[in-house]
């Protein structure tokens, strides 16, 4: 990953390939943001006028490259739009800074070293800019340029991301600023880990491959890992996970990752949907709906990455991560619409649609996670197309069996710059999953399909356990043009929310 440091060096004298400055959208044209005073001086105080003449407005995401005047060591100045200028005594909001830093890092793909002279008023601005730069610099190039890692650029492949970022104007000796940078580095690295897993093609990222990557990495960070393979899953009665994985040559896995801290008072369980490829199974998805279905393990990727982040940050809270991994394929051995599965909980499920597979693997994992009686369970899943219809492709839905917890998760997501919205679990929809043959069917009415799926999951949460469900089907995988710090492909959705939830739980700040 891109290296990042705080520096007290002056903008004018620092050696770098580019110098990034912020520009806000003022009522009368672009306004140079704080942090760029020395750069503006090198332009004789005319930087805003120069940008205006070039047509720059300071709009969010806008980037303008300028040749440096005499007096600056860096040959290029990159002005990045921060959006509307804040009121007199207000500062830029963190998400505006995060996105601007991300846009700048993307615009500098192919450069080696950049210095960022963005407004860094306090430690949270430092975190935001650092995160934005590290997330924006991300590129998934493992399969390009001849396939050799790092060989991409040499072989005429894509440009490499920024190797080095220096943040100017921070306080490298200040405890809070130091911690802010360290936190940003860990969080961004783990969001990028989730992105890598999501972007890895499904012929390489099978359930077994995911499980062994997770085991190896988790052990490096001192975590305990247990992997149940298909034999253990069959023996253990995990009918949901086995039923989904049955049609594939690549058998399922259930991975448990345990992080404990000696001073922890609370225990969180994170449960992730890890369908390494969702073809729909016998209820096969039509062409046009399966090209991006390698992303169907984004929930498991987010859970894995956030447990590792919590461990790297050494947070005083116990966190257990559960990865429910299976590949949903059609074949002679696949589960048929009409089959009845016996879940780990003992409940029977009539499978009416094999494409509603996420709830089956999660049902088993939720029951298993409940056995440890954690203080709260949060599951993360690319669960329904209905949630994408409801909230679009940048916002995840939050359902819960506890209003206060749902509100808390929503506020936390907001705080870290992840768009989300609370959704209900209307009890009346439960009966639409009544089955004449089994205890429940895996499908109900189409209208409100995201909520129906949530109600199905709720059946598998242990009595009295606080639970929230994040349906990230929209934001998990970005198909449009990159923006801010969001690349094309896997986004790492929900990692930042889970990490902040763990931080808040550790400090007892959750109520
Ligand atoms: N993995 C899909 C949901 C999905 C859709 C994720 C779009 C990302 C983008 C899930 O397994 C699925 O197929 N859900 C069905 C459920 C239906 C058959 C009840 C759906 O949403 O159509
Ligand atoms: Mn499906
Ligand atoms: Zn799926």
């Amino acid at each position: 990953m891109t290296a990042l440091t705080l520096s007290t060096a002056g903008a004018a004298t620092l050696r770098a390939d580019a110098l990034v400055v912020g520009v806000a959208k003022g009522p009368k044209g672009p306004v140079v943001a704080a942090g760029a005073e020395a750069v503006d001086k090198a332009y004789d105080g005319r930087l805003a006028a120069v940008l205006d003449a070039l047509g720059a407005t300071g709009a969010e995401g806008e980037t303008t490259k300028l040749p440096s005047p005499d007096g600056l060591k860096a040959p290029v100045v990159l002005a990045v739009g921060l959006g509307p200028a804040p009121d007199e005594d207000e500062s830029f909001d963190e998400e505006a800074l995060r996105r601007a830093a991300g846009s700048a890092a993307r615009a500098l793909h192919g450069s080696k070293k950049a210095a960022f002279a963005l407004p860094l008023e306090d430690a949270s601005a430092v975190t935001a800019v650092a995160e934005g730069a590290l997330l924006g610099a991300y590129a998934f190039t493992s399969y390009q340029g001849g396939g050799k890692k790092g060989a991409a650029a040499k072989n005429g492949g894509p440009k490499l991301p920024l190797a080095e970022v220096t943040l100017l104007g921070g306080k490298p000796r200040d405890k809070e600023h130091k911690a802010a940078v360290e936190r940003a580095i860990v969080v961004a690295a783990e969001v990028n880990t989730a992105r890598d897993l999501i972007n890895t093609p499904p012929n390489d990222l099978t359930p077994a491959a995911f499980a062994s990557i997770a085991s190896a990495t988790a052990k490096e960070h001192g975590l305990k890992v247990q992997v149940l393979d298909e034999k253990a899953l069959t023996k253990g009665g995990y009918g949901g996970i086995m039923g989904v994985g049955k049609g594939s040559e690549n058998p399922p896995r259930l991975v448990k990752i345990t992080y404990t801290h000696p001073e922890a008072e609370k225990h969180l369980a994170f449960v992730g949907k890890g369908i390494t490829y969702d073809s729909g199974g016998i209820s096969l998805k039509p062409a046009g709906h399966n090209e991006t279905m390698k992303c169907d393990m984004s929930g498991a990727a987010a859970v894995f990455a956030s447990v590792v982040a919590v461990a790297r940050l050494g947070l005083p809270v116990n966190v257990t991560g559960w990865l429910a991994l299976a590949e949903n394929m059609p074949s002679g051995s696949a589960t048929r619409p009409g089959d009845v599965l016996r879940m780990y909980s003992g409940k029977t499920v009539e499978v009416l649609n094999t494409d509603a597979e996420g709830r089956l693997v999660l049902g088993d994992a939720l029951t298993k996670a409940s056995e440890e009686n954690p203080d709260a369970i949060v599951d993360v899943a690319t669960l329904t197309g209905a949630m994408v219809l409801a909230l679009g492709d940048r916002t995840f839905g939050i359902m819960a069996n506890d209003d206060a917890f749902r509100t808390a998760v929503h506020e936390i997501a907001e705080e870290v710059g992840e768009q989300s919205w609370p959704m209900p679990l209307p009890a009346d929809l439960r009966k639409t999953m009544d089955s004449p043959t089994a205890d429940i069917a895996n499908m109900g009415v189409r209208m409100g399909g995201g909520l129906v799926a949530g109600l199905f999951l709720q059946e598998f949460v242990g009595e009295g356990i606080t639970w929230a469900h994040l349906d990230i089907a929209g934001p998990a995988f970005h198909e449009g043009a990159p923006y801010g710090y969001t690349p094309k492909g896997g986004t790492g959705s929900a990692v930042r929310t889970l990490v902040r939830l763990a931080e808040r739980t550790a400090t007892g700040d959750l109520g």
Side-chain angles (χ1 to χ4, degrees):
M1 192 175 72
T2 310
L4 184 138
T5 46
L6 270 182
S7 165
T8 50
T13 52
L14 192 89
R15 268 181 213 288
D17 300 313
L19 199 50
V20 175
V21 299
V23 46
K25 194 170 175 158
K28 294 190 212 102
V31 181
V32 176
E37 293 78 6
V39 181
D40 192 22
K41 203 171 151 210
Y43 284 95
D44 294 326
R46 297 188 59 254
L47 182 52
V50 170
L51 286 166
D52 195 23
L54 288 170
T57 63
E60 177 188 321
E62 175 188 86
T63 54
T64 312
K65 273 185 189 165
L66 308 169
S68 293
D70 287 342
L72 295 185
K73 275 257 157 67
V76 170
V77 169
L78 177 80
V80 63
L82 284 157
D87 293 340
E88 194 75 39
D89 42 348
E90 304 245 333
S91 40
F92 286 98
D93 84 39
E94 288 168 34
E95 181 61 4
L97 293 172
R98 198 181 283 113
R99 289 191 185 198
S103 295
R106 276 193 302 105
L108 294 171
H109 269 315
S111 306
K112 279 219 173 75
K113 179 173 175 179
F116 282 53
L118 291 173
L120 294 183
E121 237 176 65
D122 53 20
S124 46
V126 171
T127 309
V129 170
E131 267 181 20
L134 295 173
L135 293 173
Y138 174 84
F140 184 69
T141 54
S142 324
Y143 289 79
Q144 290 168 329
K148 280 190 215 111
K149 269 211 170 138
K154 277 181 226 144
N155 293 352
K159 290 177 182 172
L160 289 175
L162 266 177
E164 220 184 311
V165 168
T166 306
L167 301 191
L168 305 176
K171 302 175 195 147
R173 268 172 223 94
D174 178 288
K175 243 191 176 169
E176 274 186 48
H177 282 216
K178 255 172 121 171
V181 170
E182 279 159 24
R183 181 186 183 280
I185 289 174
V186 168
V187 171
E190 294 312 323
V191 171
N192 288 341
T193 298
R195 291 172 171 181
D196 279 344
L197 286 164
I198 298 163
N199 290 329
T200 301
N203 53 333
D204 281 347
L205 197 82
T206 59
F210 193 156
S212 64
I213 294 172
S215 306
T217 318
K219 281 174 192 159
E220 269 172 41
H221 295 288
L223 293 156
K224 219 178 102 190
V225 187
Q226 280 168 284
V227 180
L228 298 187
D229 64 10
E230 69 272 28
K231 271 193 200 140
L233 289 167
T234 306
K235 202 166 160 226
Y238 295 83
I241 297 175
M242 283 312 295
V244 171
K246 256 176 76 193
S248 170
E249 300 268 337
N250 303 305
R253 295 287 184 269
L254 177 63
V255 180
K256 178 187 184 186
I257 304 167
T258 312
Y259 167 73
T260 54
H261 189 284
E263 282 145 46
E265 285 173 13
K266 298 273 183 194
H267 176 198
L268 290 173
F270 297 158
V271 177
K273 170 177 174 181
I275 301 300
T276 58
Y277 184 70
D278 183 12
S279 72
I282 298 293
S283 315
L284 194 63
K285 285 182 189 294
H289 292 261
N290 53 20
E291 293 81 355
T292 59
M293 278 304 140
K294 67 175 180 182
C295 81
D296 215 19
M297 35 56 72
S298 297
V303 164
F304 168 63
S306 54
V307 179
V308 174
V310 168
R312 288 178 65 179
L313 295 169
L315 301 181
V317 54
N318 293 338
V319 181
T320 312
W322 297 91
L323 318 180
L325 308 175
E327 185 180 41
N328 188 22
M329 294 292 270
S331 79
S333 63
T335 291
R336 317 153 186 80
D339 281 357
V340 172
L341 305 176
R342 184 173 294 278
M343 302 285 284
Y344 180 73
S345 75
K347 268 201 180 110
T348 54
V349 179
E350 182 177 14
V351 177
L352 293 179
N353 190 321
T354 62
D355 199 11
E357 83 297 338
R359 60 198 77 181
L360 298 172
V361 300
L362 287 172
D364 279 354
L366 285 168
T367 307
K368 187 67 187 164
S370 298
E371 283 178 359
E372 300 189 329
N373 210 20
D375 293 292
I377 300 180
V378 180
D379 77 69
V380 187
T382 46
L383 204 60
T384 65
M387 199 55 58
V388 193
L389 287 176
L391 297 178
D393 63 4
R394 294 188 184 185
T395 303
F396 61 78
I398 310 173
M399 283 144 271
N401 61 3
D402 180 299
D403 290 347
F405 191 55
R406 186 183 52 235
T407 304
V409 174
H410 174 53
E411 285 172 2
I412 283 167
E414 188 100 318
E415 228 176 83
V416 298
E418 294 205 277
Q419 287 172 213
S420 70
W421 203 251
M423 301 296 274
L425 289 170
D428 53 284
L429 290 176
R430 166 62 186 83
K431 62 178 177 298
T432 71
M433 290 181 284
D434 282 350
S435 158
T437 318
D439 296 328
I440 190 170
N442 78 331
M443 228 181 77
V445 278
R446 203 166 75 88
M447 299 297 166
L451 320 180
V452 172
L455 284 162
F456 182 95
L457 296 182
Q458 187 170 16
E459 301 266 322
F460 297 90
V461 176
E463 192 70 33
I465 300 178
T466 303
W467 158 78
H469 157 57
L470 314 185
D471 190 337
I472 61 167
F477 197 82
H478 183 58
E479 293 185 64
Y483 65 95
Y485 53 85
T486 305
K488 250 187 179 331
T491 61
S493 175
V495 174
R496 288 181 286 144
T497 297
L498 292 180
V499 173
R500 178 60 62 93
L501 174 66
E503 288 176 329
R504 291 280 212 95
T505 306
T507 52
D509 238 357
L510 208 59

